[in-house]
Amino acid sequence: MITAPGSERRLHWATLIIGFVRKAPETVLAIPAVLGLLSRSGFPAFLLLAMIGALFAFGMALLRWLRFTYRVSSDHLVIESGVFGRRKRSIPFDHVQDTTIERPLLDRIFGTAVLKLETASSGKNEAVLDSVSLSEAERIRDLVRLTPCSDRRAAAAEKPEARPLFRMEMPRLVLAGLFSFSFLFLALVGALLEVAGPFIGLDHHRWMLAFRAAADRLGPNSLAGALGLFLILGILSGVAQTLARDYRFRLDRTASGLRRRRGLLTVSEVVLSAGRVQVAVIRTGPLRRLLRWFRLELQTLGSEAGSASQQVVAPLARVSEIRPILGELGLHLVLPSATHVRVSRDFIIQRSTALLAILAVASGGLGFLWPPAFLMVILFPLCMIIPELEWRTQSYYLSTDALYVRKGVFRQRLWLIPLSKVQAVSLSRSLTERAWKLRTLHIDTAGAPRFGSPRIAGLDKLTADFLALRLIHSSALAAAR
Amino acid sequence: METANADGATSKVGVEPAPAPRLAAVHPNYRSMLRLQILFSGALVIALVLLADFLFVRQPFVTTGMLFAALGIGLMLAVLLLSERRYRALRYSLFADELHVTHGVWVRSHTIVPVWRIQHIDVAQDPLARWLGLATLVVHTAGTLSSSVAIPGLSHGKAERLRDEIRQSMQQGGS
């Protein structure tokens, strides 16, 4: 299989079919359907347009395939692409931080795989070989691993270990599915049926009737029946989603960090190098907390902005299972207990005041326009209960090498922020916080989500200043080490 | 050069958490810039309201007069109060390898960026700023909330000097 360095290669021939099928919904169906509807001549026009669309799409796929070549040498990958404008891109292996092999359904049929190489922190210089044969993908991945990289520290291509760091067996998967129950997915499916139903020959009356018949079986002619059916469907869809995503979930240790494999139809493999992990987040919900189940996510640098940089490494795990994973990354878990510190009690009265003021303005303003809105005033006990709960559930702990922040009344999060990864800190004081001389400390890390990044509210001035400066100085020391 | 003594006085602070440094205000011309910005946006709003009034309201004399007066007063107050307060709230300092920036009238925030976290620095000037001899220093980090920390309203020379100072301490930190 190993070719002479520098010999030019094309993608696997199946790419033609895969690319065509993947684009088919728009080129063969959607665009001709819209144009066909507009032209008013109906089905024949649609057929003609669909055929033209198919020909055009296949032609484009063929052109793209012909014009896409790559060369692999022992230390870099050169990709030449572009149908009209040519682009030549060279990726030195010692700059590659992550390699991912993905196998969506179509690729599995043809025995091919999608290889992704990720380089700089921006994630822009990503090289994608979509698709090559599985053996070729593995060969390039191993070549990348053989090249030492300051970030990967991989000396040799490692063979998969017999014992994974963490895995999900069937019962655990189903349990995780039960917890991930949501109505959102159901709503999406419903909306999709509503829109696409007539196209695929599904009358929307028919499935409404089917739903009603099934609901009546649970509880004749009652709201309880419908709600019960919804609940069952919600749970089932949650389990199905989790199974599809996390089937055969397996986390292995590698020389450079962690490797995660999962998926039923699309098997994905992600390599996370330990050096790129910025923050660890342990999440749990009200029910899961009661049963002591947690979910571990890692915030890594380099992938696209937003949720893409949050990688789940343990969807549903015990603390005893999470500790070794964190240990692999050089992190030590300190659970919220006596060591954790609460913020000032003034936080409660400050938050209550702020919430009451918002409620007063909202109910007053809306009530002026629409009198029943005055009834919002009955929410005022919440303005005192919520801050109390917020105070109880928020805590933090500063160790010599990490900051721990816990937050969340219902859905709880515990952030582990290694001090060496702190990018910047910021202290803010709102109007009410100023009245009680309190501050909120925001801790900024690379790749943090725009909303929901760690912060500690309700710190007094002395503590806040101390924490801010300690974070900055310790991060300097840790970075120098 | 006149800033050298301020930095010299603070540079002996070591690893121990130190009291917050004394932060400097930006160039006084920044007030004029804020006032002009508020005037421009206020004028735009008034123009739109007047246009809507003129087009859709049957009795233009009373309504336009009232709206104009209310908006005019509001605008004057905003220009007078807000620009002064915003100018005063905006402070900065490069202090022992940390860049401190404070801003905000309602929610006051104080951001600390360690110099060794800075990835690149921009000095930007829009036409209005150029006319007033001002510039904005933008510091980029890998973070999200502080991915770009801006100090507007610096004199152009000061912005460039500050940029060079930051660059210098970035290099010192790297070696």
mmCIF file with all atom_site columns, all heavy atoms in Angstrom, chain A residues 245-256:
data_model
loop_
_atom_site.group_PDB
_atom_site.id
_atom_site.type_symbol
_atom_site.label_atom_id
_atom_site.label_alt_id
_atom_site.label_comp_id
_atom_site.label_asym_id
_atom_site.label_entity_id
_atom_site.label_seq_id
_atom_site.pdbx_PDB_ins_code
_atom_site.Cartn_x
_atom_site.Cartn_y
_atom_site.Cartn_z
_atom_site.occupancy
_atom_site.B_iso_or_equiv
_atom_site.pdbx_formal_charge
_atom_site.auth_seq_id
_atom_site.auth_comp_id
_atom_site.auth_asym_id
_atom_site.auth_atom_id
_atom_site.pdbx_PDB_model_num
ATOM 1   N N   . ARG A 1 245 ? -26.139 8.057  18.543 1.00 0.00 ? 245 ARG A N   1
ATOM 2   C CA  . ARG A 1 245 ? -24.950 8.883  18.715 1.00 0.00 ? 245 ARG A CA  1
ATOM 3   C C   . ARG A 1 245 ? -23.864 8.150  19.498 1.00 0.00 ? 245 ARG A C   1
ATOM 4   O O   . ARG A 1 245 ? -22.697 8.159  19.118 1.00 0.00 ? 245 ARG A O   1
ATOM 5   C CB  . ARG A 1 245 ? -25.344 10.173 19.438 1.00 0.00 ? 245 ARG A CB  1
ATOM 6   C CG  . ARG A 1 245 ? -24.239 11.216 19.452 1.00 0.00 ? 245 ARG A CG  1
ATOM 7   C CD  . ARG A 1 245 ? -24.686 12.424 20.231 1.00 0.00 ? 245 ARG A CD  1
ATOM 8   N NE  . ARG A 1 245 ? -25.146 12.029 21.550 1.00 0.00 ? 245 ARG A NE  1
ATOM 9   C CZ  . ARG A 1 245 ? -26.269 12.456 22.114 1.00 0.00 ? 245 ARG A CZ  1
ATOM 10  N NH1 . ARG A 1 245 ? -27.042 13.290 21.483 1.00 0.00 ? 245 ARG A NH1 1
ATOM 11  N NH2 . ARG A 1 245 ? -26.610 12.060 23.311 1.00 0.00 ? 245 ARG A NH2 1
ATOM 12  N N   . ASP A 1 246 ? -24.239 7.513  20.588 1.00 0.00 ? 246 ASP A N   1
ATOM 13  C CA  . ASP A 1 246 ? -23.237 7.006  21.525 1.00 0.00 ? 246 ASP A CA  1
ATOM 14  C C   . ASP A 1 246 ? -23.060 5.494  21.503 1.00 0.00 ? 246 ASP A C   1
ATOM 15  O O   . ASP A 1 246 ? -22.438 4.925  22.387 1.00 0.00 ? 246 ASP A O   1
ATOM 16  C CB  . ASP A 1 246 ? -23.586 7.447  22.957 1.00 0.00 ? 246 ASP A CB  1
ATOM 17  C CG  . ASP A 1 246 ? -23.410 8.930  23.136 1.00 0.00 ? 246 ASP A CG  1
ATOM 18  O OD1 . ASP A 1 246 ? -22.638 9.510  22.350 1.00 0.00 ? 246 ASP A OD1 1
ATOM 19  O OD2 . ASP A 1 246 ? -24.017 9.517  24.039 1.00 0.00 ? 246 ASP A OD2 1
ATOM 20  N N   . TYR A 1 247 ? -23.629 4.820  20.482 1.00 0.00 ? 247 TYR A N   1
ATOM 21  C CA  . TYR A 1 247 ? -23.509 3.374  20.431 1.00 0.00 ? 247 TYR A CA  1
ATOM 22  C C   . TYR A 1 247 ? -22.039 2.962  20.429 1.00 0.00 ? 247 TYR A C   1
ATOM 23  O O   . TYR A 1 247 ? -21.235 3.510  19.697 1.00 0.00 ? 247 TYR A O   1
ATOM 24  C CB  . TYR A 1 247 ? -24.222 2.855  19.170 1.00 0.00 ? 247 TYR A CB  1
ATOM 25  C CG  . TYR A 1 247 ? -24.242 1.365  19.044 1.00 0.00 ? 247 TYR A CG  1
ATOM 26  C CD1 . TYR A 1 247 ? -25.011 0.607  19.908 1.00 0.00 ? 247 TYR A CD1 1
ATOM 27  C CD2 . TYR A 1 247 ? -23.502 0.723  18.075 1.00 0.00 ? 247 TYR A CD2 1
ATOM 28  C CE1 . TYR A 1 247 ? -25.028 -0.764 19.792 1.00 0.00 ? 247 TYR A CE1 1
ATOM 29  C CE2 . TYR A 1 247 ? -23.509 -0.645 17.951 1.00 0.00 ? 247 TYR A CE2 1
ATOM 30  C CZ  . TYR A 1 247 ? -24.277 -1.390 18.828 1.00 0.00 ? 247 TYR A CZ  1
ATOM 31  O OH  . TYR A 1 247 ? -24.292 -2.741 18.714 1.00 0.00 ? 247 TYR A OH  1
ATOM 32  N N   . ARG A 1 248 ? -21.697 1.992  21.236 1.00 0.00 ? 248 ARG A N   1
ATOM 33  C CA  . ARG A 1 248 ? -20.316 1.521  21.394 1.00 0.00 ? 248 ARG A CA  1
ATOM 34  C C   . ARG A 1 248 ? -19.363 2.651  21.739 1.00 0.00 ? 248 ARG A C   1
ATOM 35  O O   . ARG A 1 248 ? -18.282 2.780  21.178 1.00 0.00 ? 248 ARG A O   1
ATOM 36  C CB  . ARG A 1 248 ? -19.843 0.788  20.138 1.00 0.00 ? 248 ARG A CB  1
ATOM 37  C CG  . ARG A 1 248 ? -20.644 -0.477 19.905 1.00 0.00 ? 248 ARG A CG  1
ATOM 38  C CD  . ARG A 1 248 ? -20.179 -1.232 18.723 1.00 0.00 ? 248 ARG A CD  1
ATOM 39  N NE  . ARG A 1 248 ? -18.931 -1.941 19.011 1.00 0.00 ? 248 ARG A NE  1
ATOM 40  C CZ  . ARG A 1 248 ? -18.371 -2.769 18.140 1.00 0.00 ? 248 ARG A CZ  1
ATOM 41  N NH1 . ARG A 1 248 ? -18.915 -2.962 16.975 1.00 0.00 ? 248 ARG A NH1 1
ATOM 42  N NH2 . ARG A 1 248 ? -17.271 -3.376 18.440 1.00 0.00 ? 248 ARG A NH2 1
ATOM 43  N N   . PHE A 1 249 ? -19.799 3.486  22.657 1.00 0.00 ? 249 PHE A N   1
ATOM 44  C CA  . PHE A 1 249 ? -18.980 4.604  23.116 1.00 0.00 ? 249 PHE A CA  1
ATOM 45  C C   . PHE A 1 249 ? -17.752 4.045  23.816 1.00 0.00 ? 249 PHE A C   1
ATOM 46  O O   . PHE A 1 249 ? -17.850 3.203  24.701 1.00 0.00 ? 249 PHE A O   1
ATOM 47  C CB  . PHE A 1 249 ? -19.780 5.473  24.086 1.00 0.00 ? 249 PHE A CB  1
ATOM 48  C CG  . PHE A 1 249 ? -19.099 6.762  24.431 1.00 0.00 ? 249 PHE A CG  1
ATOM 49  C CD1 . PHE A 1 249 ? -19.491 7.941  23.823 1.00 0.00 ? 249 PHE A CD1 1
ATOM 50  C CD2 . PHE A 1 249 ? -18.073 6.798  25.351 1.00 0.00 ? 249 PHE A CD2 1
ATOM 51  C CE1 . PHE A 1 249 ? -18.871 9.127  24.129 1.00 0.00 ? 249 PHE A CE1 1
ATOM 52  C CE2 . PHE A 1 249 ? -17.442 7.982  25.660 1.00 0.00 ? 249 PHE A CE2 1
ATOM 53  C CZ  . PHE A 1 249 ? -17.839 9.149  25.049 1.00 0.00 ? 249 PHE A CZ  1
ATOM 54  N N   . ARG A 1 250 ? -16.599 4.520  23.393 1.00 0.00 ? 250 ARG A N   1
ATOM 55  C CA  . ARG A 1 250 ? -15.368 3.970  23.930 1.00 0.00 ? 250 ARG A CA  1
ATOM 56  C C   . ARG A 1 250 ? -14.312 5.059  23.974 1.00 0.00 ? 250 ARG A C   1
ATOM 57  O O   . ARG A 1 250 ? -14.079 5.768  23.003 1.00 0.00 ? 250 ARG A O   1
ATOM 58  C CB  . ARG A 1 250 ? -14.918 2.833  23.020 1.00 0.00 ? 250 ARG A CB  1
ATOM 59  C CG  . ARG A 1 250 ? -13.722 2.082  23.509 1.00 0.00 ? 250 ARG A CG  1
ATOM 60  C CD  . ARG A 1 250 ? -13.247 1.159  22.399 1.00 0.00 ? 250 ARG A CD  1
ATOM 61  N NE  . ARG A 1 250 ? -11.858 0.818  22.681 1.00 0.00 ? 250 ARG A NE  1
ATOM 62  C CZ  . ARG A 1 250 ? -11.464 -0.381 23.095 1.00 0.00 ? 250 ARG A CZ  1
ATOM 63  N NH1 . ARG A 1 250 ? -12.326 -1.347 23.206 1.00 0.00 ? 250 ARG A NH1 1
ATOM 64  N NH2 . ARG A 1 250 ? -10.197 -0.615 23.353 1.00 0.00 ? 250 ARG A NH2 1
ATOM 65  N N   . LEU A 1 251 ? -13.703 5.212  25.133 1.00 0.00 ? 251 LEU A N   1
ATOM 66  C CA  . LEU A 1 251 ? -12.670 6.228  25.301 1.00 0.00 ? 251 LEU A CA  1
ATOM 67  C C   . LEU A 1 251 ? -11.367 5.517  25.642 1.00 0.00 ? 251 LEU A C   1
ATOM 68  O O   . LEU A 1 251 ? -11.307 4.762  26.608 1.00 0.00 ? 251 LEU A O   1
ATOM 69  C CB  . LEU A 1 251 ? -13.073 7.178  26.434 1.00 0.00 ? 251 LEU A CB  1
ATOM 70  C CG  . LEU A 1 251 ? -12.271 8.458  26.579 1.00 0.00 ? 251 LEU A CG  1
ATOM 71  C CD1 . LEU A 1 251 ? -12.608 9.409  25.450 1.00 0.00 ? 251 LEU A CD1 1
ATOM 72  C CD2 . LEU A 1 251 ? -12.579 9.127  27.906 1.00 0.00 ? 251 LEU A CD2 1
ATOM 73  N N   . ASP A 1 252 ? -10.325 5.750  24.816 1.00 0.00 ? 252 ASP A N   1
ATOM 74  C CA  . ASP A 1 252 ? -9.034  5.114  25.043 1.00 0.00 ? 252 ASP A CA  1
ATOM 75  C C   . ASP A 1 252 ? -7.990  6.163  25.356 1.00 0.00 ? 252 ASP A C   1
ATOM 76  O O   . ASP A 1 252 ? -8.102  7.305  24.937 1.00 0.00 ? 252 ASP A O   1
ATOM 77  C CB  . ASP A 1 252 ? -8.599  4.359  23.781 1.00 0.00 ? 252 ASP A CB  1
ATOM 78  C CG  . ASP A 1 252 ? -9.428  3.123  23.554 1.00 0.00 ? 252 ASP A CG  1
ATOM 79  O OD1 . ASP A 1 252 ? -9.296  2.191  24.352 1.00 0.00 ? 252 ASP A OD1 1
ATOM 80  O OD2 . ASP A 1 252 ? -10.217 3.102  22.583 1.00 0.00 ? 252 ASP A OD2 1
ATOM 81  N N   . ARG A 1 253 ? -6.971  5.742  26.084 1.00 0.00 ? 253 ARG A N   1
ATOM 82  C CA  . ARG A 1 253 ? -5.844  6.656  26.256 1.00 0.00 ? 253 ARG A CA  1
ATOM 83  C C   . ARG A 1 253 ? -4.858  6.414  25.123 1.00 0.00 ? 253 ARG A C   1
ATOM 84  O O   . ARG A 1 253 ? -4.668  5.292  24.665 1.00 0.00 ? 253 ARG A O   1
ATOM 85  C CB  . ARG A 1 253 ? -5.181  6.461  27.614 1.00 0.00 ? 253 ARG A CB  1
ATOM 86  C CG  . ARG A 1 253 ? -4.609  5.098  27.884 1.00 0.00 ? 253 ARG A CG  1
ATOM 87  C CD  . ARG A 1 253 ? -3.809  5.129  29.150 1.00 0.00 ? 253 ARG A CD  1
ATOM 88  N NE  . ARG A 1 253 ? -4.624  5.253  30.358 1.00 0.00 ? 253 ARG A NE  1
ATOM 89  C CZ  . ARG A 1 253 ? -5.223  4.230  30.963 1.00 0.00 ? 253 ARG A CZ  1
ATOM 90  N NH1 . ARG A 1 253 ? -5.144  3.025  30.457 1.00 0.00 ? 253 ARG A NH1 1
ATOM 91  N NH2 . ARG A 1 253 ? -5.907  4.412  32.062 1.00 0.00 ? 253 ARG A NH2 1
ATOM 92  N N   . THR A 1 254 ? -4.292  7.501  24.636 1.00 0.00 ? 254 THR A N   1
ATOM 93  C CA  . THR A 1 254 ? -3.258  7.402  23.609 1.00 0.00 ? 254 THR A CA  1
ATOM 94  C C   . THR A 1 254 ? -2.017  8.094  24.167 1.00 0.00 ? 254 THR A C   1
ATOM 95  O O   . THR A 1 254 ? -2.048  8.649  25.261 1.00 0.00 ? 254 THR A O   1
ATOM 96  C CB  . THR A 1 254 ? -3.686  8.112  22.311 1.00 0.00 ? 254 THR A CB  1
ATOM 97  O OG1 . THR A 1 254 ? -3.783  9.506  22.585 1.00 0.00 ? 254 THR A OG1 1
ATOM 98  C CG2 . THR A 1 254 ? -5.006  7.611  21.795 1.00 0.00 ? 254 THR A CG2 1
ATOM 99  N N   . ALA A 1 255 ? -0.959  8.054  23.388 1.00 0.00 ? 255 ALA A N   1
ATOM 100 C CA  . ALA A 1 255 ? 0.286   8.664  23.855 1.00 0.00 ? 255 ALA A CA  1
ATOM 101 C C   . ALA A 1 255 ? 0.100   10.153 24.096 1.00 0.00 ? 255 ALA A C   1
ATOM 102 O O   . ALA A 1 255 ? 0.717   10.743 24.968 1.00 0.00 ? 255 ALA A O   1
ATOM 103 C CB  . ALA A 1 255 ? 1.388   8.432  22.838 1.00 0.00 ? 255 ALA A CB  1
ATOM 104 N N   . SER A 1 256 ? -0.774  10.785 23.302 1.00 0.00 ? 256 SER A N   1
ATOM 105 C CA  . SER A 1 256 ? -0.890  12.235 23.380 1.00 0.00 ? 256 SER A CA  1
ATOM 106 C C   . SER A 1 256 ? -2.108  12.690 24.158 1.00 0.00 ? 256 SER A C   1
ATOM 107 O O   . SER A 1 256 ? -2.220  13.849 24.523 1.00 0.00 ? 256 SER A O   1
ATOM 108 C CB  . SER A 1 256 ? -0.947  12.803 21.974 1.00 0.00 ? 256 SER A CB  1
ATOM 109 O OG  . SER A 1 256 ? -1.950  12.146 21.245 1.00 0.00 ? 256 SER A OG  1
#
